[in-house]
Amino acid sequence: MKKVTTIASIFLIALLCLHELVHVSSSPFLYASQVYEESSGERKLKQDREQGQEHAQELHCSRERSRAARKVIEEYLIPFVERENYQLSTKCRLHPENDIFSDQEEHKIFIDRHEWRCGYCKKSFREEKFLDHHFDNRHYNLLNLTHGKCLADLCGAMHCDAVMNFRSSRSKCNLAAASKNRHLCESLADNCFPISEGPSAARLHELFLHQFCDAHTCSGKLKPFSRGGKDQSSFFRLAAGALILVLLPVFYLFLYLIQSDVKSRTQELRRISKAGWKTKPS
Protein backbone atom coordinates (compact mmCIF):
# COMPACT_ATOMS: atom_id res chain seq x y z
CA MET A 1 0.00 0.00 0.00
CA LYS A 2 2.89 2.31 0.85
CA LYS A 3 4.51 1.53 -2.48
CA VAL A 4 1.25 2.37 -4.35
CA THR A 5 0.98 5.67 -2.51
CA THR A 6 4.57 6.52 -3.40
CA ILE A 7 3.97 5.72 -7.07
CA ALA A 8 0.77 7.83 -7.08
CA SER A 9 2.62 10.75 -5.49
CA ILE A 10 5.42 10.53 -8.05
CA PHE A 11 2.85 10.37 -10.86
CA LEU A 12 1.01 13.43 -9.48
CA ILE A 13 4.27 15.39 -9.16
CA ALA A 14 5.18 14.43 -12.71
CA LEU A 15 1.81 15.69 -13.95
CA LEU A 16 2.28 19.02 -12.15
CA CYS A 17 5.79 19.38 -13.56
CA LEU A 18 4.49 18.61 -17.06
CA HIS A 19 1.74 21.24 -16.69
CA GLU A 20 4.25 23.90 -15.62
CA LEU A 21 6.55 22.93 -18.45
CA VAL A 22 3.75 23.28 -21.00
CA HIS A 23 2.71 26.63 -19.54
CA VAL A 24 6.28 27.99 -19.57
CA SER A 25 6.98 26.72 -23.07
CA SER A 26 3.75 28.21 -24.44
CA SER A 27 4.30 31.66 -22.88
CA PRO A 28 6.91 32.78 -25.45
CA PHE A 29 4.44 32.05 -28.21
CA LEU A 30 1.77 34.01 -26.37
CA TYR A 31 4.18 36.90 -25.86
CA ALA A 32 5.19 36.74 -29.50
CA SER A 33 1.55 36.91 -30.58
CA GLN A 34 0.99 39.93 -28.34
CA VAL A 35 4.07 41.64 -29.73
CA TYR A 36 2.86 40.86 -33.23
CA GLU A 37 -0.55 42.38 -32.51
CA GLU A 38 0.98 45.48 -30.94
CA SER A 39 3.56 46.00 -33.68
CA SER A 40 1.24 45.23 -36.59
CA GLY A 41 -0.16 48.75 -36.49
CA GLU A 42 3.33 50.24 -36.41
CA ARG A 43 4.44 48.08 -39.33
CA LYS A 44 1.33 49.11 -41.23
CA LEU A 45 2.12 52.79 -40.66
CA LYS A 46 5.71 52.18 -41.71
CA GLN A 47 4.57 50.39 -44.86
CA ASP A 48 2.18 53.25 -45.62
CA ARG A 49 4.98 55.76 -45.10
CA GLU A 50 7.33 53.81 -47.39
CA GLN A 51 4.56 53.51 -49.96
CA GLY A 52 3.97 57.26 -49.75
CA GLN A 53 7.68 57.87 -50.29
CA GLU A 54 7.62 55.61 -53.34
CA HIS A 55 4.61 57.53 -54.67
CA ALA A 56 6.38 60.84 -54.02
CA GLN A 57 9.38 59.59 -55.96
CA GLU A 58 7.13 58.54 -58.82
CA LEU A 59 5.28 61.87 -58.74
CA HIS A 60 8.26 64.26 -58.81
CA CYS A 61 6.07 67.17 -57.69
CA SER A 62 6.35 68.97 -54.37
CA ARG A 63 3.02 69.28 -52.59
CA GLU A 64 4.36 72.06 -50.35
CA ARG A 65 5.64 74.22 -53.21
CA SER A 66 2.50 73.53 -55.24
CA ARG A 67 0.47 74.79 -52.29
CA ALA A 68 2.65 77.90 -52.13
CA ALA A 69 2.13 78.55 -55.85
CA ARG A 70 -1.64 78.16 -55.43
CA LYS A 71 -1.54 80.60 -52.51
CA VAL A 72 0.31 83.18 -54.62
CA ILE A 73 -2.21 82.80 -57.44
CA GLU A 74 -5.23 83.06 -55.15
CA GLU A 75 -3.97 86.04 -53.17
CA TYR A 76 -2.07 88.12 -55.73
CA LEU A 77 -3.74 87.33 -59.06
CA ILE A 78 -7.29 85.99 -58.71
CA PRO A 79 -8.68 89.18 -57.05
CA PHE A 80 -7.70 91.19 -60.15
CA VAL A 81 -9.02 88.48 -62.49
CA GLU A 82 -12.37 88.52 -60.69
CA ARG A 83 -12.47 92.30 -60.78
CA GLU A 84 -12.17 92.14 -64.58
CA ASN A 85 -14.74 89.30 -64.79
CA TYR A 86 -12.17 87.39 -66.81
CA GLN A 87 -12.31 83.61 -67.26
CA LEU A 88 -8.98 81.80 -67.28
CA SER A 89 -8.67 79.24 -70.03
CA THR A 90 -8.00 75.63 -69.02
CA LYS A 91 -4.96 75.86 -71.30
CA CYS A 92 -3.51 78.39 -68.87
CA ARG A 93 -1.19 76.62 -66.43
CA LEU A 94 -2.51 78.85 -63.64
CA HIS A 95 -6.04 77.46 -63.97
CA PRO A 96 -7.19 75.56 -60.83
CA GLU A 97 -7.73 72.39 -62.86
CA ASN A 98 -4.07 72.35 -63.83
CA ASP A 99 -2.97 71.36 -60.36
CA ILE A 100 -2.18 67.75 -59.49
CA PHE A 101 -3.24 68.25 -55.87
CA SER A 102 -6.30 70.43 -56.45
CA ASP A 103 -8.92 67.76 -55.68
CA GLN A 104 -7.12 66.58 -52.56
CA GLU A 105 -6.64 70.15 -51.32
CA GLU A 106 -10.38 70.75 -51.75
CA HIS A 107 -11.05 67.68 -49.59
CA LYS A 108 -9.12 69.04 -46.63
CA ILE A 109 -11.46 69.97 -43.79
CA PHE A 110 -10.00 72.34 -41.20
CA ILE A 111 -11.70 71.86 -37.81
CA ASP A 112 -9.33 73.78 -35.54
CA ARG A 113 -5.59 74.28 -35.09
CA HIS A 114 -5.19 70.74 -33.75
CA GLU A 115 -7.55 68.86 -36.07
CA TRP A 116 -7.68 68.32 -39.82
CA ARG A 117 -10.12 65.90 -41.43
CA CYS A 118 -9.95 63.94 -44.66
CA GLY A 119 -12.92 64.75 -46.88
CA TYR A 120 -12.78 61.31 -48.50
CA CYS A 121 -12.82 58.96 -45.50
CA LYS A 122 -13.49 61.43 -42.63
CA LYS A 123 -10.36 60.38 -40.74
CA SER A 124 -8.94 63.07 -38.42
CA PHE A 125 -5.33 64.20 -37.95
CA ARG A 126 -3.57 66.54 -35.55
CA GLU A 127 -1.61 68.43 -38.20
CA GLU A 128 -1.94 69.18 -41.90
CA LYS A 129 1.32 67.38 -42.70
CA PHE A 130 -0.11 64.11 -41.35
CA LEU A 131 -3.15 64.58 -43.57
CA ASP A 132 -0.78 65.12 -46.51
CA HIS A 133 0.92 61.80 -45.72
CA HIS A 134 -2.51 60.17 -45.53
CA PHE A 135 -3.38 61.50 -48.99
CA ASP A 136 -0.10 60.16 -50.37
CA ASN A 137 -0.65 56.75 -48.81
CA ARG A 138 -4.41 56.18 -49.08
CA HIS A 139 -5.74 58.42 -51.84
CA TYR A 140 -2.87 58.48 -54.30
CA ASN A 141 -5.19 57.23 -57.04
CA LEU A 142 -7.18 60.49 -56.87
CA LEU A 143 -4.32 62.65 -58.09
CA ASN A 144 -4.54 64.31 -61.47
CA LEU A 145 -1.35 62.95 -63.01
CA THR A 146 -1.75 64.63 -66.40
CA HIS A 147 1.60 65.76 -67.78
CA GLY A 148 2.57 69.35 -67.13
CA LYS A 149 0.22 69.97 -64.21
CA CYS A 150 2.68 70.44 -61.38
CA LEU A 151 2.26 73.95 -60.00
CA ALA A 152 5.57 73.61 -58.16
CA ASP A 153 7.28 73.92 -61.56
CA LEU A 154 6.02 77.53 -61.70
CA CYS A 155 7.41 78.53 -58.30
CA GLY A 156 10.41 80.25 -59.82
CA ALA A 157 8.20 82.54 -61.88
CA MET A 158 5.59 83.07 -59.15
CA HIS A 159 7.94 83.91 -56.24
CA CYS A 160 6.80 81.05 -54.00
CA ASP A 161 9.65 81.65 -51.56
CA ALA A 162 8.08 84.99 -50.64
CA VAL A 163 5.02 83.24 -49.14
CA MET A 164 6.93 80.27 -47.69
CA ASN A 165 8.89 82.50 -45.29
CA PHE A 166 12.05 81.41 -47.05
CA ARG A 167 15.13 83.37 -46.08
CA SER A 168 17.30 83.80 -49.12
CA SER A 169 21.01 83.48 -48.67
CA ARG A 170 23.38 86.39 -49.04
CA SER A 171 24.96 84.88 -52.12
CA LYS A 172 25.09 86.90 -55.28
CA CYS A 173 22.06 86.93 -57.55
CA ASN A 174 22.15 84.29 -60.27
CA LEU A 175 21.58 86.26 -63.44
CA ALA A 176 20.91 83.13 -65.51
CA ALA A 177 18.25 81.89 -63.05
CA ALA A 178 16.61 85.33 -62.92
CA SER A 179 16.51 85.46 -66.72
CA LYS A 180 15.03 81.94 -66.91
CA ASN A 181 12.34 82.77 -64.35
CA ARG A 182 11.49 86.01 -66.14
CA HIS A 183 11.14 84.18 -69.46
CA LEU A 184 8.79 81.61 -67.84
CA CYS A 185 6.84 84.42 -66.21
CA GLU A 186 6.39 86.29 -69.49
CA SER A 187 5.30 83.09 -71.26
CA LEU A 188 2.62 82.62 -68.56
CA ALA A 189 1.41 86.17 -69.16
CA ASP A 190 1.22 85.59 -72.92
CA ASN A 191 -0.53 82.23 -72.54
CA CYS A 192 -3.02 83.15 -69.83
CA PHE A 193 -3.82 86.73 -70.88
CA PRO A 194 -3.44 87.08 -74.65
CA ILE A 195 -3.62 90.75 -75.57
CA SER A 196 -5.66 89.88 -78.66
CA GLU A 197 -8.58 88.73 -76.48
CA GLY A 198 -9.64 92.25 -75.56
CA PRO A 199 -9.15 95.10 -73.09
CA SER A 200 -9.58 92.97 -69.95
CA ALA A 201 -6.95 90.49 -71.08
CA ALA A 202 -4.62 93.35 -72.04
CA ARG A 203 -4.97 94.99 -68.62
CA LEU A 204 -4.38 91.69 -66.84
CA HIS A 205 -1.39 90.98 -69.08
CA GLU A 206 0.21 94.28 -68.07
CA LEU A 207 -0.67 93.72 -64.41
CA PHE A 208 0.86 90.22 -64.47
CA LEU A 209 4.12 91.60 -65.85
CA HIS A 210 4.32 94.25 -63.11
CA GLN A 211 3.06 91.96 -60.35
CA PHE A 212 5.37 89.00 -61.01
CA CYS A 213 7.80 89.39 -63.92
CA ASP A 214 9.45 92.77 -63.32
CA ALA A 215 10.96 91.58 -60.03
CA HIS A 216 13.06 88.92 -61.80
CA THR A 217 16.19 91.03 -61.93
CA CYS A 218 19.40 91.26 -59.95
CA SER A 219 19.05 94.98 -59.30
CA GLY A 220 17.04 94.45 -56.11
CA LYS A 221 15.02 97.60 -56.75
CA LEU A 222 11.74 95.90 -57.67
CA LYS A 223 9.82 93.61 -55.35
CA PRO A 224 7.17 91.02 -56.27
CA PHE A 225 3.46 91.67 -55.74
CA SER A 226 3.91 95.42 -56.25
CA ARG A 227 0.20 95.84 -57.03
CA GLY A 228 -0.86 94.32 -53.72
CA GLY A 229 -3.32 91.50 -53.23
CA LYS A 230 -6.09 90.01 -51.14
CA ASP A 231 -4.04 90.05 -47.94
CA GLN A 232 -3.51 93.80 -47.99
CA SER A 233 -7.14 94.66 -48.70
CA SER A 234 -8.33 92.31 -45.97
CA PHE A 235 -5.76 93.82 -43.60
CA PHE A 236 -7.06 97.32 -44.24
CA ARG A 237 -10.64 96.17 -43.73
CA LEU A 238 -9.66 94.48 -40.49
CA ALA A 239 -7.78 97.58 -39.31
CA ALA A 240 -10.75 99.81 -40.17
CA GLY A 241 -13.12 97.50 -38.31
CA ALA A 242 -10.85 97.45 -35.24
CA LEU A 243 -10.59 101.25 -35.33
CA ILE A 244 -14.38 101.60 -35.46
CA LEU A 245 -14.79 99.18 -32.55
CA VAL A 246 -12.35 101.24 -30.50
CA LEU A 247 -13.71 104.68 -31.40
CA LEU A 248 -17.42 103.85 -31.14
CA PRO A 249 -17.43 103.31 -27.34
CA VAL A 250 -15.30 106.46 -26.93
CA PHE A 251 -17.86 108.43 -28.98
CA TYR A 252 -20.79 107.17 -26.90
CA LEU A 253 -18.85 107.87 -23.69
CA PHE A 254 -18.22 111.43 -24.91
CA LEU A 255 -21.95 111.90 -25.62
CA TYR A 256 -22.85 110.50 -22.20
CA LEU A 257 -20.47 112.88 -20.43
CA ILE A 258 -21.83 115.87 -22.35
CA GLN A 259 -25.43 114.92 -21.57
CA SER A 260 -24.56 114.36 -17.90
CA ASP A 261 -22.80 117.73 -17.73
CA VAL A 262 -25.75 119.52 -19.37
CA LYS A 263 -28.19 117.80 -17.06
CA SER A 264 -26.20 118.72 -13.93
CA ARG A 265 -25.88 122.35 -15.06
CA THR A 266 -29.64 122.52 -15.73
CA GLN A 267 -30.43 121.20 -12.24
CA GLU A 268 -27.98 123.67 -10.70
CA LEU A 269 -29.62 126.57 -12.54
CA ARG A 270 -33.05 125.44 -11.33
CA ARG A 271 -31.82 125.34 -7.72
CA ILE A 272 -30.34 128.82 -8.06
CA SER A 273 -33.52 130.20 -9.59
CA LYS A 274 -35.68 128.62 -6.84
CA ALA A 275 -33.41 130.02 -4.14
CA GLY A 276 -33.71 133.47 -5.73
CA TRP A 277 -37.52 133.33 -5.66
CA LYS A 278 -37.52 132.30 -2.00
CA THR A 279 -35.30 135.19 -0.85
CA LYS A 280 -37.17 137.83 -2.87
CA PRO A 281 -39.01 140.31 -0.51
CA SER A 282 -42.81 140.41 -0.60
Side-chain angles (χ1 to χ4, degrees):
M1 183 68 181
K2 186 177 180 180
K3 189 179 293 186
V4 174
T5 305
T6 304
I7 294 174
S9 300
I10 294 173
F11 181 73
L12 182 60
I13 292 171
L15 285 177
L16 291 174
C17 291
L18 181 62
H19 179 268
E20 290 296 326
L21 181 62
V22 171
H23 176 73
V24 171
S25 62
S26 63
S27 60
F29 295 101
L30 178 62
Y31 173 76
S33 64
Q34 291 175 348
V35 170
Y36 174 78
E37 290 176 358
E38 291 176 356
S39 61
S40 61
E42 296 179 359
R43 283 205 305 271
K44 191 171 185 301
L45 290 174
K46 185 177 180 181
Q47 290 174 357
D48 289 343
R49 191 178 296 111
E50 291 175 352
Q51 186 180 7
Q53 292 175 353
E54 292 177 358
H55 288 162
Q57 293 175 356
E58 294 173 3
L59 189 59
H60 299 294
C61 183
S62 168
R63 182 187 293 272
E64 183 181 7
R65 292 184 69 79
S66 295
R67 186 183 299 126
R70 175 55 54 197
K71 182 178 180 181
V72 170
I73 294 169
E74 290 178 350
E75 293 186 2
Y76 298 102
L77 179 62
I78 296 301
F80 300 99
V81 174
E82 292 176 347
R83 192 178 303 169
E84 292 285 349
N85 292 321
Y86 185 82
Q87 295 294 327
L88 285 173
S89 170
T90 53
K91 295 180 181 180
C92 171
R93 294 184 65 180
L94 305 177
H95 193 280
E97 291 184 4
N98 294 328
D99 179 8
I100 292 175
F101 304 106
S102 59
D103 190 72
Q104 289 188 350
E105 291 295 316
E106 291 174 0
H107 281 79
K108 284 183 177 180
I109 303 174
F110 175 74
I111 307 299
D112 56 44
R113 57 180 298 186
H114 295 299
E115 184 178 3
W116 290 78
R117 186 171 298 167
C118 173
Y120 298 115
C121 61
K122 309 304 179 184
K123 191 173 181 179
S124 296
F125 301 87
R126 289 181 300 172
E127 297 182 29
E128 186 180 13
K129 64 180 180 180
F130 297 136
L131 178 56
D132 289 338
H133 291 321
H134 172 73
F135 281 150
D136 292 336
N137 300 332
R138 293 298 181 184
H139 305 296
Y140 178 79
N141 59 314
L142 299 174
L143 292 175
N144 183 359
L145 298 178
T146 306
H147 176 69
K149 293 192 174 183
C150 180
L151 276 184
D153 295 341
L154 307 181
C155 268
M158 304 302 293
H159 305 280
C160 292
D161 292 337
V163 298
M164 295 178 69
N165 297 323
F166 177 78
R167 295 182 179 180
S168 59
S169 61
R170 294 183 179 180
S171 60
K172 293 183 178 179
C173 174
N174 189 327
L175 187 60
S179 177
K180 180 180 178 181
N181 288 332
R182 185 182 181 91
H183 177 72
L184 175 60
C185 185
E186 291 174 348
S187 67
L188 288 173
D190 295 337
N191 179 259
C192 297
F193 310 106
I195 298 177
S196 59
E197 287 194 359
S200 294
R203 286 191 293 268
L204 288 171
H205 185 278
E206 182 182 2
L207 178 137
F208 193 90
L209 294 177
H210 291 300
Q211 186 83 318
F212 303 104
C213 305
D214 288 350
H216 288 299
T217 65
C218 289
S219 64
K221 296 179 180 180
L222 300 175
K223 302 296 181 182
F225 322 134
S226 58
R227 298 295 180 89
K230 185 167 59 176
D231 273 355
Q232 294 183 1
S233 60
S234 61
F235 172 77
F236 287 126
R237 286 197 297 268
L238 183 62
L243 186 63
I244 291 173
L245 288 176
V246 171
L247 293 179
L248 198 60
V250 175
F251 174 73
Y252 281 114
L253 179 61
F254 180 71
L255 287 180
Y256 172 76
L257 292 176
I258 290 177
Q259 290 177 354
S260 299
D261 185 63
V262 171
K263 187 176 180 180
S264 63
R265 287 177 180 273
T266 303
Q267 291 176 352
E268 185 178 355
L269 289 174
R270 286 178 179 176
R271 284 197 301 269
I272 293 173
S273 63
K274 286 182 180 180
W277 281 105
K278 287 180 179 179
T279 58
K280 186 177 180 180
S282 57

